[in-house]
Amino acid sequence: TTARIDLSAMPWVALAAFFVPVLGLMVVVYLAMRRFVSAAVAAGPSVRAISATFGNTVQLGIPLVTALFGEAKHRAL
């Protein structure tokens, strides 16, 4: 599904409206975890930041369901 995307038709403004705040939140969570939580594991702040911003339901869920069940067939009522 991803290989067939036409990049000229991408909704860049909508994508930026989602990903810019998500990346900002990821940086804030990472820095807060680095400063206020002493992590026993060095990767702890990174894991928490990624977990706090993980929103892959659309990005992975739709292509996965389409790959498993095929594309929707529209039928006349």
Side-chain angles (χ1 to χ4, degrees), residues 2 9 28 31 37 58 65 70 72:
T2 305
V28 168
L31 293 175
V37 177
V58 170
V65 168

Side-chain angles (χ1 to χ4, degrees), residues 36-72:
F36 298 116
V37 177
S38 74
V41 179
S46 299
V47 171
R48 287 178 187 257
I50 290 170
S51 297
T53 58
F54 189 74
N56 245 351
T57 305
V58 170
Q59 294 169 331
L60 288 177
I62 293 172
L64 182 63
V65 168
T66 302
L68 289 174
F69 298 109
E71 294 188 16

Side-chain angles (χ1 to χ4, degrees), residues 12-43:
W12 294 110
V13 174
L15 290 172
F18 174 77
F19 283 108
V20 169
V22 166
L23 290 174
L25 177 64
M26 182 182 286
V27 169
V28 168
V29 170
Y30 175 77
L31 293 175
M33 291 298 109
R34 290 276 311 229
R35 180 176 173 118
F36 298 116
V37 177
S38 74
V41 179

